[in-house]
Amino acid sequence: MKKHNYSAGPCILPQEVFEKSAQAILNFNDSGLSLLEISHRSKDFVAVMEEARAIVLELLGLEGKGYSALFLAGGASLEFIMAPYNLMKEGGKAAYLDSGTWAAAAIKEAKLFGDTVVVASSKEENYNHIPKGYTIPADADYFHCTSNNTIFGTQMKEFPSVDMPVVCDMSSDIFSRELDFSKFDLIYAGAQKNMGPAGTTLIVVKEEILGKNGRIIPSMLDYAKHIKAESMYNTPPVFPVYASLLTLQWLKNLGGIAAIEKINNAKAALLYGEIDRNPLFKGAAAVEDRSNMNATFLLNDEAHAATFDAMWKAAGISGLPGHRSVGGYRASMYNALPLESVQVLVDVMQALEKAI
Ligand SMILES: *Cc1c(COP(=O)(O)O)cnc(C)c1O
């Protein structure tokens, strides 16, 4: 039976990525060797890393603008540490927007490095919206925000313009919509939400912001060292990098971010339209901040949960239960999820309405 995978991460990837990466494990580039058994310094793998780093900048429109792309290990969670280590001065200050659990986790780590100002927080409302109308201290070393709050289903539609480096955790919506990416100085994203398998984190950094905070940074946590080593300071996570490259090639062939954004908008409009129309359901996040990647919604009457759960499972849907901190349901509609899968979910929601 066809599956419709709404998992929040690790998540659905294009079928051709599964097929091509499986083939590369058996016989990489017709070499008779597996991708998993060759040196990361071999010509074939160095080419993978070079192409992966280049296609990132190409898709984001950042070629020739002083940015470097890195594929590191450690997850987005390690970037919560690397960002302040590389950007916050000794005795310095950083400004953070607290828009969700991941933002709060980033704040916790930044506090280890210096004065961490939380400019606004929606924690008291269980992060059901993006805080707005805040002031960012002009003397902060950088401003940090989270573009998409994976757990709560909110997404920043606008970003403040400030006179300092802007750092953004884009783990769950990178490559999903057009933005002026040159407004950001450091972008990071765990691959497993929208770009590839778990095991690598994409970092896109404007080189001129590095080396200015006066700290002695351990080599593995130093962006500049990784750039100098062309993202091969140590053995890179070869398989996740390769599968991410395949996903980005798929996206490029589709027409890039502009093309996928249209599809993502159509998927979101279809599902939110049904959540708002169907009297059995309600959305969990403030309407103006709704995420096009993770739609969180609830049944108005929990008594229908068992029936609904049985129905969507029977339709081949998986990964729909919401995060425990929100409850209800979360439909993660990442780039590789087809519109057809959203239609299947909407059909089930309508069938539930008819059934009760
Ligand atoms: C999942 C997620 C993280 C954590 O990613 P890891 O790679 O597991 O460390 C951080 N930020 C956001 C927005 C996420 O969705």
Side-chain angles (χ1 to χ4, degrees):
M1 172 186 213
K2 181 157 173 50
K3 288 287 181 182
H4 305 283
N5 182 10
Y6 282 93
S7 172
C11 72
I12 186 169
L13 294 173
Q15 189 60 33
E16 67 174 66
V17 170
F18 293 136
E19 281 158 17
K20 287 183 182 171
S21 53
Q23 183 55 41
I25 287 182
L26 296 171
N27 178 8
F28 181 48
N29 281 358
D30 266 331
S31 62
L33 294 169
S34 168
L35 169 68
L36 305 184
E37 64 179 334
I38 60 167
S39 167
H40 59 290
R41 307 266 176 214
S42 66
K43 194 165 73 36
D44 279 3
F45 188 76
V46 169
V48 166
M49 182 60 95
E50 278 174 7
E51 195 180 344
R53 296 177 69 208
I55 198 171
V56 164
L57 298 184
E58 182 188 343
L59 287 166
L60 298 177
L62 292 176
E63 276 172 318
K65 292 186 177 163
Y67 287 80
S68 263
L70 299 170
F71 284 89
L72 305 183
S77 300
L78 187 62
E79 301 317 305
F80 300 161
I81 297 160
M82 286 177 76
Y85 222 146
N86 284 263
L87 300 180
M88 210 194 293
K89 296 192 178 80
E90 291 280 5
K93 180 189 281 185
Y96 277 70
L97 182 64
D98 181 21
S99 57
T101 303
W102 295 116
I107 290 165
K108 179 170 171 247
E109 303 300 328
K111 283 183 174 163
L112 301 173
F113 293 87
D115 186 8
T116 303
V117 179
V118 177
V119 296
S121 172
S122 47
K123 185 168 192 234
E124 292 298 307
E125 293 81 33
N126 200 31
Y127 296 119
N128 67 0
H129 67 282
I130 302 281
K132 296 172 198 76
Y134 46 85
T135 333
I136 298 167
D139 59 344
D141 296 328
Y142 63 91
F143 171 65
H144 179 284
C145 58
T146 310
S147 56
N148 186 72
N149 298 283
T150 325
I151 293 175
F152 301 94
T154 62
Q155 188 172 33
M156 294 179 77
K157 309 292 170 181
E158 278 169 30
F159 295 84
S161 21
V162 281
D163 217 8
M164 64 184 74
V166 175
V167 180
C168 190
D169 176 359
M170 293 196 189
S171 291
S172 51
D173 70 351
I174 192 156
F175 301 115
S176 74
R177 57 171 170 167
E178 288 200 283
L179 289 174
D180 180 356
F181 292 97
S182 70
K183 291 214 167 114
F184 302 90
D185 301 273
L186 171 63
I187 296 166
Y188 60 87
Q192 72 275 15
K193 301 288 172 34
N194 205 25
M195 189 184 70
T200 190
T201 311
L202 172 64
I203 288 102
V204 179
V205 59
K206 194 164 199 180
E207 292 185 31
E208 67 180 29
I209 69 169
L210 300 176
K212 293 187 170 165
N213 71 343
R215 288 187 199 260
I216 294 166
I217 307 168
S219 304
M220 277 294 285
L221 302 179
D222 186 343
Y223 292 128
K225 284 229 168 65
H226 286 290
I227 293 171
K228 192 154 173 271
E230 300 180 331
S231 205
M232 295 256 207
Y233 183 81
N234 68 327
T235 317
V238 292
F239 181 76
V241 172
Y242 183 67
S244 297
L245 169 61
L246 294 176
T247 310
L248 296 175
Q249 286 171 334
W250 165 86
L251 178 58
K252 185 178 164 183
N253 289 338
L254 211 85
I257 296 179
I260 202 78
E261 180 175 22
K262 285 204 187 86
I263 301 170
N264 289 334
N265 285 343
K267 291 186 291 186
L270 179 60
L271 181 57
Y272 285 118
E274 180 60 19
I275 290 169
D276 292 340
R277 185 210 61 80
N278 193 319
L280 300 181
F281 294 96
K282 61 171 182 247
V287 172
E288 72 274 15
D289 299 327
R290 279 175 168 174
S291 166
N292 277 8
M293 294 281 98
N294 315 94
T296 47
F297 60 101
L298 305 154
L299 276 163
N300 283 312
D301 182 353
E302 272 297 308
H304 302 315
T307 313
F308 182 52
D309 293 352
M311 287 171 77
W312 58 255
K313 281 176 194 161
I317 289 172
S318 71
L320 199 63
H323 190 273
R324 62 191 177 280
S325 52
V326 181
Y329 302 94
R330 169 173 54 171
S332 296
M333 300 178 281
Y334 295 121
N335 285 354
L337 185 89
L339 182 63
E340 173 212 341
S341 290
V342 181
Q343 189 61 56
V344 169
L345 174 57
V346 165
D347 290 347
V348 171
M349 293 165 78
Q350 294 179 352
L352 180 71
E353 186 188 8
K354 290 204 186 79
I356 55 181

